[in-house]
Amino acid sequence: MAQKELRSGGEFNIVQCDLVLSSGKVVGLLASIIGLTIFESIEEVTVTGTITIQDAFNLASFGPIIGQEYLRLKIATPNLSGGENIIDFSSNPFIVTAVNDRVEIGNGVQATTMSFCSREFMINQRSTVRRNLVGSYSEIVRTMIEKDLDSGKELHIEPSGEKKKIIAPNITPFDIVRIAMKYAVSKEGNQPTYLFWETTSRFNFRTLAEIYAQPPVMTYEKTISGTRTQNGVRDILSELSAIENYKITGSTDTMWNYSKGIFSSELIVHDVMSKSYQKHIYNYNESFANEKHLGKEPIAVNDPDGVSVSSFPARQYLKPAVGMGTLDESYEDGCYGYSFNPNNFNLMQSRKSQLGMLEGGLQLSIDVVGTTVVKAGDIVEIKIPSVSAVKTPQNETIDMLYNGNFIIRSLRHDFDIPNTKHRISMNVTKDSFATSRARGTT
């Protein structure tokens, strides 16, 4: 059983690790694991990972391991309250997809590394959908996961408000989900920024607005290792919240933001029925207050000449439509009428701008002590020191740009089995500034 008292940051216990061979035989790997890595990202539909075992029986050949095995995995980590946080893939196991390499390490023992992914990803690769789908996009996504992918995992689905009818043209369930991501609009708040991803606890279909509204699950701060004590006793909370290493990996790229239409864009919607068209201009500065962001101030307002960065639509989009009204004239309902909603093309530019800011915003890579509480899509508060030989009158100790709330875009769980240490490397980003001073204005 896993220990219930957290003695130091990064502790964990692998409760179950079984490999179910294609023959049905179950092989216990608890005593054989050398390393385990799990990846999750808001840009990936499922969780993936690798596992390395020491193999004294040439299991890869005599099993054999051919990339069609189940991996039942359960990891428990103690928490500060005396309970446990659990990564549980025992009832919904991973699927081994490949044997990456086999290296002899001496005395007739070899290290075998295998890649694995969620079972739903494998099912998706051998499934297609070719039928009518009716309902809101959030309902369609739920159908894809629960029925077409036969998943019993927990779902966190933010309701969307449209009534749609789409014909699936022999594409995979995850392709249907990607269509829903592009066109779904939330029932509450009319937000178009849906993302779909899996964490170690659930599948998620949520907007950036709902994600940004979350309070931070952790506060991470760059500190000196010798100071992580309290009254001479190890401070576990300080260990868990300490940034061990960090690297600034991205800042605002004005040219990239222009080219991607983040600051301004033009959309032309052409009605194939009436042969008419409509233009929609997106203005980043004017729309900022009505959108949901991590900070209160936009990243850019004016260029060095004092001209608004949103003054010219540098990107153009073209979209066909069947009817310009509030109903989709592409499909009839059971009474030969039009009762389905068209796609909200006018929100497409806002979606592309907000999602583009995840690439064109402020980005950090940080290494921290591992905990299963933190997942891709969570909000964390970051504090890194101000590095400067010359101090300002305010004598800032925290960097003005790279501080405050960030969204976790991706993270990697590394479980060091010999040392029983769990570490996390994560990429975090933010799309706005906390104050106008960070943008260089007062």
Side-chain angles (χ1 to χ4, degrees), residues 53 83 142 336 381 388:
I53 62 172
R142 183 178 294 276
Y336 302 100
E381 184 181 2
S388 175

Side-chain angles (χ1 to χ4, degrees), residues 414-425:
D414 290 311
F415 296 93
D416 182 353
I417 309 301
N419 298 311
T420 320
K421 200 71 175 177
H422 175 200
R423 290 181 172 83
I424 292 178
S425 297

Side-chain angles (χ1 to χ4, degrees), residues 271-322:
D271 183 3
V272 299
M273 299 288 287
S274 65
K275 310 303 180 186
S276 60
Y277 67 91
Q278 292 180 352
K279 283 187 178 181
H280 302 276
I281 301 296
Y282 173 77
N283 185 299
Y284 168 74
N285 285 328
E286 293 178 359
S287 302
F288 185 87
N290 298 321
E291 299 170 344
K292 302 299 181 181
H293 298 274
L294 281 171
K296 298 179 180 179
E297 295 291 330
I299 282 180
V301 175
N302 298 324
D303 65 16
D305 295 323
V307 179
S308 171
V309 295
S310 301
S311 61
F312 177 74
R315 188 73 180 265
Q316 186 181 74
Y317 303 101
L318 305 174
K319 285 291 183 180
V322 182

